[in-house]
Amino acid sequence: MSTQTASTQSSDLLRFITCGSVDDGKSTLIGRLLHAAHALPDDQLSALADESRRFGTQGDQLDFALLVDGLSAEREQGITIDVAYRFFATPRRKFIVADTPGHEQYTRNMATGASTADLAVILIDARKGVLTQTRRHSHLVSLLGIKQVVLAVNKLDLVDWSRERFEEIERDYREFAQRLDFEHIVAIPLSALHGDNIAQRSQHTPWHAGPSLLEHLESIEISTADASGPLRLPVQWVCRPDLDFRGYAGRILGGSVRPGDAVRILPSGRQTRIARIVGYAGDLAEATRGDSVMLTLEDEVDASRGDVICAAAEPASVADQFETTLVWMDDAAMLPGRSYLLKLGAATVGASFSQPKYAIDVNSFDKLAARTLELNGIGVVNVSLDRAVPFDAYADNRDMGSFIVIDRYSNQTVGAGLIHFALRRSQNIHWQAVDVDKQARVRQNGHRPCVLWLTGLSGSGKSTIANIVERQLHALGVRTYLLDGDNIRHGLSKDLGFTDADRVENIRRVGEVARLMVDAGLVVLTAFISPFRSERALARSMVGSEEFLEVFVDTPLAVVEARDPKGLYRKARRGELSNFTGIDSPYEAPATPELHIDTTRQTPEQAASRIVDALFERGIVQRHA
């Protein structure tokens, strides 16, 4: 297939999404569209008739919702819980439709379906009118850059085809949507169940002068903004079948490219020219947005997965800090300072988020103060990455300006975001080179630096063991410093409480201080509960695994409660102390610590000797010191 033919076909493809509240009729609507477009072969119609008898809710009639509600859980519950994509075509246009969940619990799936759509069909039950979930979905649709909206007022047959009810709902929605960034809203009265105004205009609504739904979908113009923009191709794979060929494969996310075009590789900034464009069937004279191709370059350049090939005259920006709109999709709240993975294009990097500048009320559009984002929360948040990445603002290129957030341990997608702009400090603040570096300090000290990170429940003996270790190391002439949890709370973290978010920020600060002390050449001891694996992993990543030893001071809850040297467990059991680790706040034990200290079998002195011996074994401290 030639590039010209591929581009022509892609311009005739409309991607759209259906969304709305539970039981508004989204799946039935899509089933009706498929039937009206003659997209159902005879065997599928026969299977639908059989399934309608077994699972349907329409008596002897075909239940078109079953065409899309393919999961058994959906059929049992009668709701859509996953994103279902269907392709169909009419003589005038091709379509890909995403049926997304209506229940608030599955808003994350709705955001997934909307991320590639050109248009949104927002369903409203004529009996219920504009609901909170309608507003939430409309807000997400607007945030994700969809400009074209169809307001499908469904189940109008259940309100006697009332023109007044239809116009009331349209008026309410347009008033609400004035604050959203929609370019065009078309309202259509429907009965998806009976097929009214789906493919042809219905006799039940003679007062409706507009098009049927399918007529509108066939005639609406599709935006091609990204296609006319500058070249953007994130490298997904570097192909080296032999010594004479090196190709960079990926999908073009913006603009077009021809052999001989000048390009820039980001983030390195190296410039070169396109030698060849290799497609599935051979070399191409041109490739445009949406084409998956392999580019070869005239010069040998250092490019790898996650780099972006850009038009040399109009390259993407590069930064490691951004202001973003973040949609949170996980049951566990977003914790400021926690280390997540962020996937932007083909690049996956470490990321942490600030406390939200504000959260957005989807009903009133008010900007609300917030310390975090809960499930389905939307807010404006700064993000910091562990390295700079190429990007465009979401308003300029949806693919280059959107990202997903992944939990480091579960590998589940927990959020999605849109980039507004790079923070100026990411470009104005640079690492200052110094003449006396860590290696110079190591030579002067006579030993290597490291962090001994003691973690365990309150009362497990962390501080006692750390004190003994520091005393023994000091006697050996080792330069040390002990960061103790209680002591840090008197100064560096005096403004923090004991919520999960505060604990995350406390450990982030301690990790930064420990990193600086390791750079100073010290052996740093820390004695913190540090209950979350993610934050201990963040501290390790700050310092480096080769200079970080996690020491699990393992003491059963019953034992530390019996000790209770500060009376904290008794207070927690009486409800006088909230968010106390082990009682009403979790402790995530280390899975593979470098040292595991069982305090029911070892005294603090024996535990300290084990830790010091480990430093000798790893060559951090020399035995002749």
Side-chain angles (χ1 to χ4, degrees):
M1 180 185 295
S2 70
T3 304
Q4 183 179 2
T5 303
S7 301
T8 301
Q9 286 193 352
S10 65
S11 69
D12 290 332
L13 174 67
L14 175 69
R15 296 175 180 267
F16 69 97
I17 180 177
T18 61
C19 48
S21 296
V22 172
D23 203 30
D24 276 349
K26 301 179 299 300
S27 299
T28 301
L29 175 69
I30 294 174
R32 278 286 182 187
L33 282 173
L34 295 173
H35 187 250
H38 306 291
L40 303 177
D42 292 340
D43 59 342
Q44 193 167 7
L45 277 173
S46 176
L48 176 61
D50 179 60
E51 294 197 349
S52 295
R53 287 190 294 271
R54 296 169 58 199
F55 302 108
T57 60
Q58 305 306 318
D60 294 333
Q61 303 298 314
L62 293 177
D63 189 345
F64 286 99
L66 297 179
L67 285 170
V68 184
D69 287 344
L71 299 179
S72 59
E74 293 172 344
R75 291 178 177 174
E76 292 166 5
Q77 300 174 43
I79 62 172
T80 301
I81 61 175
D82 200 2
V83 181
Y85 295 91
R86 291 299 297 257
F87 172 86
F88 67 99
T90 68
R92 299 182 62 183
R93 173 168 279 170
K94 298 178 177 65
F95 303 90
I96 294 178
V97 56
D99 177 32
T100 61
H103 197 282
E104 181 176 344
Q105 180 181 355
Y106 302 105
T107 298
R108 70 196 83 174
N109 304 60
M110 180 264 163
T112 301
S115 62
T116 58
D118 304 301
L119 176 145
V121 177
I122 297 178
L123 272 80
I124 293 180
D125 188 325
R127 299 167 300 172
K128 300 174 183 178
V130 178
L131 302 176
T132 296
Q133 193 70 335
T134 310
R135 296 185 178 95
R136 182 186 302 278
H137 284 170
S138 299
H139 203 136
L140 280 170
V141 163
S142 177
L143 284 174
L144 291 165
I146 297 175
K147 306 295 185 182
Q148 307 283 350
V149 168
V150 173
L151 181 64
V153 183
N154 194 26
K155 303 188 180 182
L156 213 64
D157 56 307
L158 299 182
V159 294
D160 296 325
W161 304 102
S162 170
R163 177 177 183 175
E164 290 75 17
R165 180 57 174 159
F166 171 77
E167 291 177 346
E168 177 190 3
I169 292 172
E170 180 182 7
R171 185 170 58 251
D172 289 347
Y173 187 82
R174 288 187 184 276
E175 181 180 353
F176 154 76
Q178 284 179 357
R179 299 177 65 181
L180 297 175
D181 194 22
F182 295 144
E183 293 178 355
H184 198 208
I185 300 174
V186 173
I188 302 176
L190 298 175
S191 171
L193 183 63
H194 301 293
D196 292 88
N197 284 328
I198 300 295
Q200 291 86 31
R201 302 181 204 192
S202 171
Q203 295 179 352
H204 290 113
T205 56
W207 40 265
H208 174 60
S212 69
L213 177 60
L214 189 57
E215 288 172 340
H216 179 65
L217 295 178
E218 286 180 323
S219 61
I220 192 170
E221 280 192 35
I222 305 172
S223 172
T224 57
D226 291 343
S228 61
L231 172 66
R232 301 287 187 264
L233 185 143
V235 176
Q236 296 179 335
W237 175 49
V238 180
C239 177
R240 288 295 306 272
D242 55 54
L243 295 177
D244 299 321
F245 184 91
R246 184 195 298 265
Y248 302 94
R251 185 169 67 90
I252 298 176
L253 301 183
S256 60
V257 63
R258 290 174 172 270
D261 284 354
V263 294
R264 190 188 302 265
I265 314 300
L266 297 178
S268 70
R270 178 73 185 274
Q271 286 191 235
T272 182
R273 291 185 178 274
I274 300 297
R276 296 169 57 193
I277 304 171
V278 183
Y280 177 76
D283 282 17
L284 302 173
E286 182 183 22
T288 64
R289 181 179 182 269
D291 292 343
S292 294
V293 295
M294 184 176 298
L295 304 180
T296 68
L297 307 176
E298 290 185 355
D299 304 300
E300 290 283 340
V301 298
D302 183 14
S304 58
R305 177 178 170 83
D307 290 354
V308 179
I309 301 176
C310 302
E314 298 179 89
S317 301
V318 177
D320 61 1
Q321 297 181 59
F322 310 95
E323 181 187 89
T324 70
T325 292
L326 183 65
V327 181
W328 199 249
M329 303 176 178
D330 193 42
D331 293 328
M334 183 274 287
L335 293 180
R338 169 163 285 184
S339 179
Y340 298 95
L341 294 176
L342 183 147
K343 191 173 189 303
L344 173 61
T348 301
V349 295
S352 62
F353 297 96
S354 69
Q355 180 174 315
K357 294 182 176 181
Y358 55 85
I360 301 170
D361 186 306
V362 297
N363 294 308
S364 65
F365 293 88
D366 289 342
K367 297 177 180 179
L368 308 176
R371 300 197 67 180
T372 184
L373 293 177
E374 304 287 346
L375 174 65
N376 294 327
I378 302 171
V380 173
V381 182
N382 288 345
V383 59
S384 298
L385 309 182
D386 59 12
R387 63 180 173 88
V389 295
F391 77 100
D392 287 306
Y394 186 82
D396 298 328
N397 188 307
R398 288 167 64 179
D399 293 308
M400 289 289 295
S402 59
F403 59 85
I404 62 171
V405 186
I406 302 169
D407 183 89
R408 282 183 176 272
Y409 285 92
S410 67
N411 284 322
Q412 291 190 350
T413 299
V414 294
L418 323 173
I419 295 175
H420 299 169
F421 50 79
L423 301 181
R424 289 183 61 187
R425 61 175 175 263
S426 70
Q427 298 166 342
N428 296 339
I429 299 176
H430 307 281
W431 193 266
Q432 178 63 47
V434 294
D435 293 328
V436 180
D437 61 10
K438 181 168 72 174
Q439 293 308 314
R441 299 189 209 34
V442 168
R443 288 192 294 272
Q444 186 178 61
N445 292 341
H447 60 79
R448 289 165 45 201
C450 76
V451 171
L452 293 168
W453 192 280
L454 279 70
T455 175
L457 293 171
S458 177
S460 61
K462 300 181 298 298
S463 296
T464 301
I465 295 170
N467 266 308
I468 298 172
V469 171
E470 186 175 35
R471 194 165 63 239
Q472 292 182 9
L473 292 177
H474 183 73
L476 294 169
V478 177
R479 298 188 178 184
T480 63
Y481 196 87
L482 172 58
L483 296 170
D484 182 80
D486 283 353
N487 293 349
I488 289 293
R489 290 277 183 177
H490 282 86
L492 182 66
S493 296
K494 68 185 300 182
D495 60 319
L496 299 178
F498 291 90
T499 65
D500 286 355
D502 284 340
R503 290 179 184 276
V504 169
E505 173 60 14
N506 183 48
I507 297 306
R508 187 197 67 79
R509 294 179 187 182
V510 172
E512 291 286 2
V513 172
R515 181 180 64 82
L516 292 173
M517 289 184 166
V518 165
D519 190 60
L522 306 181
V523 171
V524 187
L525 299 96
T526 76
F528 293 84
I529 296 173
S530 48
F532 302 125
R533 296 190 187 100
S534 291
E535 279 57 67
R536 298 195 298 266
L538 174 62
R540 181 187 294 272
S541 68
M542 290 178 180
V543 176
S545 292
E546 69 282 357
E547 295 178 333
F548 188 96
L549 278 72
E550 186 176 39
V551 182
F552 179 26
V553 183
D554 187 4
T555 308
L557 179 61
V559 175
V560 294
E561 281 204 73
R563 294 175 183 171
D564 203 9
K566 303 173 186 177
L568 300 179
Y569 285 97
R570 288 190 293 277
K571 287 184 179 180
R573 290 295 188 188
R574 292 196 299 266
E576 299 171 5
L577 199 60
S578 60
N579 300 313
F580 193 77
T581 304
I583 305 299
D584 59 350
S585 186
Y587 177 78
E588 299 173 357
T592 55
E594 278 76 13
L595 286 171
H596 186 163
I597 305 295
D598 183 350
T599 62
T600 63
R601 299 187 177 187
Q602 293 178 300
T603 66
E605 290 76 13
Q606 290 171 328
S609 295
R610 274 196 63 196
I611 294 172
V612 173
D613 286 344
L615 296 180
F616 285 136
E617 291 167 4
R618 286 168 169 78
I620 294 170
V621 177
Q622 302 299 319
R623 291 192 179 274
H624 57 75

